[in-house]
Amino acid sequence: MNWSARTVSTAAAALSLLLSHHLTNAAPPLAGSTLQGPRIRVEGETFNFGYVPQHAFMTHTYWLKNPGTETVRIQRLAPNCGCTTAPLTDSVITVGDSIPLEITFGSRGMLGHVEKHVRIFANAAGRIPALTFTADVLPDTARGPSVTMLPRAMKVNPVNQPAKGNWTVEMTLMNNGTQPVDVRAVSWPWRGFKLGGDRYTLQPGEKRPIMITMAPLAGGTLGKSVTFELSDPPGTRVSASIMPLEQGDEQ
């Protein structure tokens, strides 16, 4: 095949135009993973306590991370309910670091499904997540889910705690249903609290003791809690609380 100079020139021009159009409309390169400025990210912004007892205190620890390029400084935390406390024990998150934030929810006066929030006020750029938790509060006489903790709320006498060092308390997981259930712990205090095991299989009617080693509850402590998730299709959760005796409680 013979190609004239004009034909070759025309084809080259067309190819050049096509390449120019492709490069002009190509997708931009992916941006780097580093976010500019101070940033706050929380893995698991929403936590589900599941079924909880009335007149108890439940705790959960959120981890706040700074994936940005500047230090985060938290000014304050604002729960949307007086039933929730969120003490700010560390207000600075350096670049690439994380800090724990433990919230405590008091279920006194509550019944049924509740949803609460804690707002974070900080110098962070972009979206600042709100910490959210949900719970289904059961009265003391309610049967509850197929697996329950006994007791649902354990009250300990501070005078029985050691002056220093850890001590051990015992609670019980019970399967009230007709089918075997796998149970796993999904939340417990990150410091000063250790479970004897975090995964169990309970046969129908079985009771399984749970040994908990924990630091003594300091003065002013409202309580601590552990949350278990069941293997049923909804992923039912149940939480139990350990808290100090209050004035007027039975010894």
Side-chain angles (χ1 to χ4, degrees), residues 89-236:
T89 57
D90 194 345
S91 62
V92 175
I93 316 176
T94 56
V95 175
D97 200 5
S98 299
I99 63 170
L101 174 60
E102 182 179 84
I103 61 96
T104 301
F105 163 61
S107 60
R108 178 170 295 172
M110 306 285 180
L111 183 62
H113 186 76
V114 296
E115 179 175 319
K116 304 297 178 183
H117 310 275
V118 177
R119 292 185 63 190
I120 302 171
F121 291 86
N123 68 332
R127 176 180 175 270
I128 300 179
L131 309 178
T132 301
F133 64 86
T134 60
D136 291 283
V137 183
L138 288 172
D140 297 337
T141 56
R143 179 179 177 86
S146 61
V147 172
T148 56
M149 288 286 286
L150 302 173
R152 294 177 183 172
M154 172 179 283
K155 294 186 177 183
V156 299
N157 192 333
V159 302
N160 295 330
Q161 300 181 121
K164 55 184 177 181
N166 295 332
W167 67 316
T168 301
V169 297
E170 179 180 317
M171 303 183 80
T172 301
L173 276 171
M174 180 175 180
N175 183 358
N176 301 306
T178 59
Q179 300 293 327
V181 180
D182 293 329
V183 182
R184 67 184 182 96
V186 294
S187 178
W188 60 90
W190 70 282
R191 183 171 58 186
F193 198 99
K194 183 179 180 181
L195 296 174
D198 60 2
R199 292 178 182 269
Y200 305 90
T201 298
L202 299 179
Q203 300 301 320
E206 181 181 359
K207 294 182 179 180
R208 180 71 63 87
I210 307 298
M211 306 306 295
I212 299 172
T213 302
M214 57 186 293
L217 297 175
T221 301
L222 298 175
K224 300 293 182 180
S225 69
V226 57
T227 301
F228 288 93
E229 184 174 273
L230 314 186
S231 60
D232 57 3
T236 301

